[in-house]
Amino acid sequence: GESVGLHLPTLSVQEGDNSIINCAYSNSASDYFIWYKQESGKGPQFIIDIRSNMDKRQGQRVTVLLNKTVKHLSLQIAATQPGDSAVYFCAEGNSGGSNYKLTFGKGTLLTVNP
Amino acid sequence: EAQVTQNPRYLITVTGKKLTVTCSQNMNHEYMSWYRQDPGLGLRQIYYSMNVEVTDKGDVPEGYKVSRKEKRNFPLILESPSPNQTSLYFCASSLLGPYEQYFGPGTRLTVT
């Protein structure tokens, strides 16, 4: 597959453990945030999103936490499985104006050890 | 099957030879976007389109053109490719705005 993991922060966990992936965003005006998962050789896949009027949102086995005070976003994966091994990207955007750009972080490589 | 398709998947070309990478989606999405992905730099948005005939620059538009004549298609055009445009390119679409985007499989472009 394509190598997109060079120079990335890495997180290695044991199967069954919980994983926490962190992201610092840059624009205090951003009001929505998204997490994507990218497996080797594939395009990014949407996981979960959160708007700035929330500080927590839960999905299936995943939880996103937003701390606007320190501009920090985290993705928690419960009971991590080998299939969760991938690069995880956070992204930020601003829905309030006419600019509909999306800015991605550089990603974190998650490795799940069986 | 709902999907975003890109063609070609792999392309090796020479500096200055115009090329087009096609992108098509079958989900009737209004928002489409192009990204490039480089090691250590993550995904960077090149151009996006909110709807037919509406396009706007992303963070790295220099050296690229796009058009949106039909809702389903959003081609990326490199009029005069240069080696610094060697990258992995992704097209994406979503129903409305840059929210839950569906990504294509990627196009690996090498410019020599």
Side-chain angles (χ1 to χ4, degrees):
Chain A
E2 304 293 353
S3 174
V4 297
L6 296 178
H7 315 300
L8 288 179
T10 58
L11 175 65
S12 183
V13 301
Q14 291 298 124
E15 181 177 358
D17 288 351
N18 297 333
S19 303
I20 300 176
I21 301 170
N22 295 304
C23 174
Y25 64 92
S26 57
N27 188 349
S28 56
S30 294
D31 65 355
Y32 66 85
F33 306 88
I34 310 175
W35 281 99
Y36 281 91
K37 171 187 180 182
Q38 186 176 26
E39 297 174 271
S40 183
K42 297 183 179 180
Q45 179 183 9
F46 173 88
I47 301 173
I48 192 169
D49 62 1
I50 188 169
R51 302 298 172 106
S52 60
N53 60 352
M54 304 172 69
D55 53 20
K56 180 179 180 179
R57 189 168 187 213
Q58 289 185 288
Q60 187 175 10
R61 277 201 310 120
V62 295
T63 300
V64 56
L65 299 178
L66 174 63
N67 184 331
K68 295 181 288 293
T69 302
V70 295
K71 294 191 287 188
H72 183 268
L73 196 63
S74 69
L75 178 70
Q76 301 179 0
I77 305 174
T80 314
Q81 303 167 1
D84 295 325
S85 293
V87 177
Y88 289 80
F89 294 96
C90 65
E92 60 179 303
N94 187 338
S95 61
S98 61
N99 186 329
Y100 292 95
K101 291 195 297 183
L102 196 64
T103 301
F104 281 76
K106 293 179 173 46
T108 296
L109 176 62
L110 174 66
T111 302
V112 182
N113 303 308
Chain B
E1 179 188 356
Q3 60 182 347
V4 177
T5 57
Q6 298 178 225
N7 281 294
R9 294 290 314 280
Y10 300 90
L11 179 60
I12 300 174
T13 190
V14 295
T15 298
K17 185 177 181 182
K18 180 179 179 180
L19 66 91
T20 299
V21 184
T22 65
C23 173
S24 182
Q25 49 92 7
N26 62 0
M27 295 170 278
N28 202 36
H29 284 170
E30 295 198 349
Y31 184 93
M32 296 187 75
S33 184
W34 277 102
Y35 299 87
R36 61 177 288 173
Q37 186 171 37
D38 303 287
L41 297 177
L43 285 150
R44 294 179 292 168
Q45 193 171 35
I46 303 171
Y47 270 96
Y48 63 92
S49 169
M50 289 297 294
N51 211 328
V52 175
E53 303 292 2
V54 180
T55 64
D56 209 344
K57 297 177 181 178
D59 290 321
V60 289
E62 295 78 20
Y64 304 95
K65 286 175 58 177
V66 293
S67 68
R68 188 90 181 275
K69 294 183 170 57
E70 309 164 276
K71 183 181 271 193
R72 65 182 292 129
N73 296 322
F74 190 44
L76 179 69
I77 303 156
L78 284 71
E79 295 271 5
S80 183
S82 62
N84 65 11
Q85 292 178 298
T86 292
S87 188
L88 179 59
Y89 291 87
F90 288 100
C91 180
S93 74
S94 66
L95 188 60
L96 289 169
Y99 306 113
E100 184 177 343
Q101 292 183 63
Y102 293 80
F103 280 76
T107 295
R108 169 63 73 182
L109 172 65
T110 302
V111 184
T112 62

